């Protein structure tokens, strides 16, 4: 069975999403999803103690109880720190709500949908789309597939191979460069 090319967000959509954030939690969540390539379940399970501020990294528990290290940008670090400083609770979870200590997966999905609605982003925005965007950005910036495979926590190279099916614009650019 043929696999489809993953859908990703364009830079303009990401900027609209950033502008639509109304709270530090929303912005920190958006930045973390966007810059780490984590699955929504990995984000939901992460604890504050899993963060390494110096390396701008986090240990996440992925599929099959496999751990991997993910990295985030300085901008993400700033928003995470601002968000954590604004919290009044003592919960160990990285992302929390007022009513339930640890932010649930449906709540994360709902938060992202609200951001997209507020930002008037026409594309269907959901947490996993950030993962596709992350992989496509790495690929478009010249990262080798085996590196992307490791960053996404894919066991099989064939799972990552789908990102090699570049979109039209990038294909044209590479064709012109190499032919």
């Amino acid at each position: 069975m043929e696999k489809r090319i993953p859908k990703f967000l364009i830079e303009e959509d990401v900027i609209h999403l950033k502008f639509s954030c109304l709270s530090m939690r929303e912005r920190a969540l958006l930045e973390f999803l966007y810059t780490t390539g984590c699955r929504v379940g990995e984000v939901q399970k992460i604890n504050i103690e899993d963060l390494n501020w110096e390396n701008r990294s986090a240990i996440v528990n992925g599929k099959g109880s496999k751990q991997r290290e993910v990295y985030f940008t300085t901008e993400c670090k700033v928003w995470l720190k601002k968000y954590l400083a604004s919290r009044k609770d003592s919960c160990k979870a990285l992302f929390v709500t007022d009513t339930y200590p640890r932010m649930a997966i449906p709540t994360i999905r709902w938060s992202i949908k609200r951001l997209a609605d507020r930002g008037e982003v026409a594309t269907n925005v959901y947490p996993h789309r950030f993962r596709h965007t992350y992989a496509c950005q790495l690929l478009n910036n010249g990262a080798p597939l085996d590196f992307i495979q490791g960053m996404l926590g894919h066991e099989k190279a064939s799972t990552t191979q789908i990102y090699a099916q570049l979109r039209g614009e990038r294909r044209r650019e590479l064709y012109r460069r190499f032919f």
Side-chain angles (χ1 to χ4, degrees):
M1 198 161 115
E2 203 172 297
K3 290 186 176 181
R4 294 179 325 189
I5 298 173
K7 291 183 168 76
F8 55 90
L9 296 166
I10 61 170
E11 188 179 8
E12 190 176 328
D13 288 339
V14 175
I15 291 168
H16 282 293
L17 290 169
K18 287 181 179 188
F19 283 137
S20 70
C21 292
L22 297 179
S23 69
M24 284 181 256
R25 182 186 73 190
E26 282 182 341
R27 184 63 186 264
L29 177 62
L30 172 69
E31 291 291 341
F32 197 80
L33 281 166
Y34 179 58
T35 65
T36 62
C38 284
R39 297 174 180 97
V40 68
E42 295 168 339
V43 173
Q44 191 265 338
K45 288 181 211 157
I46 198 163
N47 294 321
I48 299 166
E49 67 191 22
D50 298 326
L51 300 174
N52 180 324
W53 296 111
E54 190 178 318
N55 294 339
R56 291 189 330 267
S57 67
I59 301 297
V60 296
N61 294 300
K63 281 185 174 180
S65 300
K66 292 188 186 110
Q67 285 192 332
R68 76 177 190 286
E69 188 174 32
V70 296
Y71 304 96
F72 48 87
T73 62
T74 302
E75 185 176 1
C76 181
K77 176 183 174 179
V78 167
W79 283 105
L80 286 171
K81 287 218 172 213
K82 285 177 100 149
Y83 162 62
L84 291 172
S86 75
R87 282 180 36 185
K88 306 282 186 249
D89 63 87
S90 59
C91 185
K92 66 181 185 173
L94 178 58
F95 294 105
V96 297
T97 64
D98 296 332
T99 54
Y100 185 76
R102 183 177 296 274
M103 204 173 189
I105 290 172
T107 308
I108 294 171
R109 287 191 178 114
W110 180 77
S111 296
I112 295 302
K113 285 270 184 232
R114 275 195 20 219
L115 278 179
D117 290 344
R118 252 189 267 133
E120 298 177 0
V121 176
T123 309
N124 184 14
V125 182
Y126 46 90
H128 208 75
R129 186 157 273 181
F130 288 101
R131 189 167 161 81
H132 295 316
T133 302
Y134 172 82
C136 288
Q137 279 195 328
L138 287 175
L139 186 68
N140 287 344
N141 290 328
L145 277 175
D146 60 334
F147 170 75
I148 297 169
Q149 177 184 346
M151 294 307 293
L152 292 173
H154 288 161
E155 194 170 289
K156 294 185 240 159
S158 60
T159 310
T160 313
Q161 199 70 38
I162 194 164
Y163 295 103
Q165 301 175 52
L166 298 170
R167 61 187 179 166
E169 177 188 318
R170 180 71 173 145
R171 287 168 66 143
R172 277 190 300 279
E173 178 189 317
L174 289 173
Y175 173 81
R176 288 184 181 118
R177 184 169 143 202
F178 294 115
F179 189 75

